Amino acid sequence: MAFTIAIDGPAAAGKGTISRAVAAHFGFAHLDTGLLYRAVGRRMLEGVPPIAAAQTLTAQDLGGTGLRAPEVSQAASRVAAIPEVRAALVDFQRAFARRDGGAVLDGRDIGTVICPEADAKLFVTASPEVRARRRFDELCATGVTTDYARVLEETRERDDRDATRADAPLRAAPDAVVIDTSALDVEAAVAAAIAAVETRSGRARA
Ligand code: CDP
């Protein structure tokens, strides 16, 4: 049986951690849709035109190192504003969402555009300062040299580009449960997400 959980939100709000934990809890498959845009962004930086890159993306492009590098994050949000790039990635995401056994997809437009019929929708957010601090710590842990002020500026830049683009802008679906993780640790955020999905699925079965 298919059961789709859509998890959207801005950069470094904790979507990835929450999505992986929610998928593990329910035994569902998980797709980090940001990786698709990152892979297209990386290919653009290598000189491939972004629309062609999106139309010929392979599983191999989703692996390898460097997809989380700051320049790839910025390239991802630039290619993500191109309607033809988004269109080329729709079918793959929808097929994943409908797979048997349940699926969790995280991104920016899952509950609004990719899966408006999702069984449960979450919008995970946090203040820009908290998100930049988390991303800064993550980057330091992977050996990237940067400073907090720069990460905050890049986070705001990406938020702004993601929220103001004409095609599939970042926003919460009207029926999404909003989880602000600014003051929550990982355990509390995951518990809130699982509780929200259980409430929704109970309602879906009722
Ligand atoms: O991990 P983080 O939240 O920093 O970023 P991500 O989820 O990997 O997404 C990277 C970029 O891809 C975002 O800034 C968006 O511009 C774009 N994206 C999108 O437009 N739609 C999605 N469903 C997922 C990502």
Side-chain angles (χ1 to χ4, degrees):
M1 199 195 70
F3 189 97
T4 309
I5 303 175
I7 304 186
D8 292 304
K15 292 184 311 285
T17 307
I18 289 177
S19 302
R20 279 190 297 277
V22 167
H25 178 85
F26 292 104
F28 291 179
H30 170 227
L31 177 66
D32 170 357
T33 65
L35 282 184
L36 304 173
Y37 296 92
R38 287 176 179 275
V40 174
R42 183 170 63 182
R43 294 201 71 199
M44 179 182 75
L45 294 175
E46 291 163 358
V48 180
I51 296 172
Q55 287 168 344
T56 58
L57 208 63
T58 66
Q60 237 176 351
D61 294 318
L62 303 180
T65 53
L67 280 180
R68 303 253 163 228
E71 63 273 21
V72 176
S73 304
Q74 294 298 342
S77 91
R78 286 204 298 274
V79 301
I82 304 171
E84 292 86 349
V85 166
R86 306 198 70 84
L89 303 174
V90 168
D91 289 350
F92 174 76
Q93 296 176 82
R94 288 197 177 141
F96 190 96
R98 283 194 298 264
R99 68 198 282 150
D100 259 355
V104 179
L105 286 85
D106 77 87
R108 301 290 188 285
D109 63 338
I110 308 303
T112 50
V113 174
I114 301 295
C115 306
E117 308 298 328
D119 300 280
K121 297 181 190 176
L122 307 182
F123 190 83
V124 179
T125 188
S127 72
E129 291 77 14
V130 166
R131 291 188 286 114
R133 171 62 55 190
R134 288 179 188 155
R135 186 48 48 94
F136 175 69
D137 290 345
E138 243 171 56
L139 290 169
C140 292
T142 58
V144 175
T145 313
T146 184
D147 60 81
Y148 171 76
R150 178 150 180 217
V151 175
L152 178 60
E153 192 191 307
E154 285 174 355
T155 304
R156 288 190 197 279
E157 235 177 73
R158 200 141 63 89
D159 281 356
D160 192 50
R161 206 182 292 128
D162 289 350
T164 58
R165 67 184 175 218
D167 191 14
L170 168 69
R171 61 179 175 81
D175 53 347
V177 176
V178 178
I179 299 177
D180 187 328
T181 68
S182 302
L184 301 181
D185 62 15
V186 169
E187 210 179 313
V190 168
I194 290 171
V197 172
E198 275 168 351
T199 306
R200 286 298 158 106
S201 59
R203 237 182 262 159
R205 277 196 293 269

